[in-house]
Amino acid sequence: YPEEPIIVTEELQGEVFKYTFDSFKSKMICGTKDTWLTEENNDHTAVKVCALNLWIQKWCEAHPDHHIYGVYTGYGFYVFDVYYDKQWISFENLCFLNRCDSLWEHSLDYHWVPILYCGPFDEKALSEIHQPIVVKPMQERGDYAGNRVVIKPN
């Protein structure tokens, strides 16, 4: 929508992984973009990334049953989405959660994909960004068919 508040992040290249702390099983679970891994997969890159980035497990334990999605670039793991209670958490709500977390060191501040623009939808501003991007509304919403609104224009 014109003038809709949006967030534009850099689309980093790498492997997409997801993580959660399952409160029912009281254990950490790692996965690829589409599949949760079983205990037999403990040599998988997703498991190794979690072990090398202790903040992932700490954040997940502090937020049980929240699923963090991110990309492993070879240099680090960067979060681009959080899913909880059968819905994607809006960027506005993540900012609020992050402010609360920063009080006790569970913030995603330094682990988020680079934010390139935040503000009203502005085609001119977007055209001046010359790298792969992801555009999302600040407040999560669906399109007319009920699909999540996320645009990757490049």
Side-chain angles (χ1 to χ4, degrees), residues 84-138:
Y84 177 69
D85 198 26
K86 300 180 184 174
Q87 62 186 353
W88 297 102
I89 297 180
S90 72
F91 185 74
E92 289 177 327
N93 290 341
L94 282 174
C95 288
F96 176 76
L97 181 65
N98 224 20
R99 277 195 299 278
C100 296
D101 285 350
S102 65
L103 300 175
W104 45 286
E105 300 179 14
H106 291 290
S107 172
L108 289 175
D109 273 350
Y110 302 108
H111 307 290
W112 199 257
V113 291
I115 297 171
L116 304 175
Y117 175 80
C118 236
F121 181 83
D122 180 345
E123 217 167 307
K124 184 176 186 283
L126 295 180
S127 70
E128 293 172 2
I129 300 172
H130 300 291
Q131 63 236 57
I133 60 173
V134 178
V135 181
K136 296 188 241 181
M138 287 282 253

Side-chain angles (χ1 to χ4, degrees), residues 5-130:
I6 61 169
I7 172 126
V8 179
T9 58
E10 184 176 351
E11 183 181 19
L12 298 177
Q13 301 303 309
E15 294 182 79
V16 175
F17 299 132
K18 59 185 175 182
Y19 300 95
T20 191
F21 183 81
D22 185 322
S23 63
F24 182 72
K25 296 178 183 176
S26 292
K27 71 177 195 174
M28 190 69 190
I29 302 175
C30 307
T32 63
K33 178 179 153 187
D34 302 315
T35 309
W36 290 108
L37 300 172
T38 63
E39 291 178 8
E40 293 82 47
N41 301 110
N42 61 359
D43 197 36
H44 193 279
T45 306
V47 177
K48 292 176 183 176
V49 167
C50 188
L52 290 171
N53 294 275
L54 299 176
W55 66 266
I56 295 173
Q57 184 160 347
K58 288 180 181 178
W59 192 92
C60 289
E61 287 174 349
H63 303 88
D65 305 314
H66 287 68
H67 304 180
I68 60 171
Y69 286 75
V71 61
Y72 176 63
T73 63
Y75 300 104
F77 181 76
Y78 301 93
V79 176
F80 57 78
D81 264 326
V82 179
Y83 187 82
Y84 177 69
D85 198 26
K86 300 180 184 174
Q87 62 186 353
W88 297 102
I89 297 180
S90 72
F91 185 74
E92 289 177 327
N93 290 341
L94 282 174
C95 288
F96 176 76
L97 181 65
N98 224 20
R99 277 195 299 278
C100 296
D101 285 350
S102 65
L103 300 175
W104 45 286
E105 300 179 14
H106 291 290
S107 172
L108 289 175
D109 273 350
Y110 302 108
H111 307 290
W112 199 257
V113 291
I115 297 171
L116 304 175
Y117 175 80
C118 236
F121 181 83
D122 180 345
E123 217 167 307
K124 184 176 186 283
L126 295 180
S127 70
E128 293 172 2
I129 300 172
H130 300 291

